Amino acid sequence: LETAKSVLEGQSFIREIVNHNDQLRLYVNVGEEALPLILQLMSQANLRIHTLDFDRPTLNEVFLHKTGRSLRDTVAS
């Protein structure tokens, strides 16, 4: 994981890299464009990807990331 993280750090298309339960979670601006670049970088570094999930954030996840609060919390108050 550390080798993969070091390969990916500093790439302009990656906003954030998080170690999460023995996995790397990457936050990118445009997943459709970032995915082939990530695969290419891992291949060039001779690193295997065991599992790959591609998720789009929900509105609540975006709101939580930007404000630190959940939409539910905001509506309730």
Side-chain angles (χ1 to χ4, degrees), residues 16-70:
E16 185 178 359
I17 301 173
V18 177
N19 282 343
H20 181 73
N21 296 333
D22 294 328
Q23 300 174 353
L24 288 183
R25 184 170 286 185
L26 307 177
Y27 295 89
V28 299
N29 292 323
V30 182
E32 294 84 1
E33 294 174 9
L35 187 57
L37 298 172
I38 293 166
L39 294 174
Q40 181 181 21
L41 287 167
M42 294 296 98
S43 177
Q44 289 171 349
N46 293 318
L47 296 172
R48 287 185 22 199
I49 296 174
H50 295 279
T51 303
L52 179 70
D53 293 323
F54 185 81
D55 295 321
R56 295 188 195 291
T58 65
L59 179 59
N60 192 51
E61 289 170 333
V62 171
F63 189 82
L64 179 64
H65 185 75
K66 295 286 186 185
T67 66
R69 299 177 293 154
S70 168

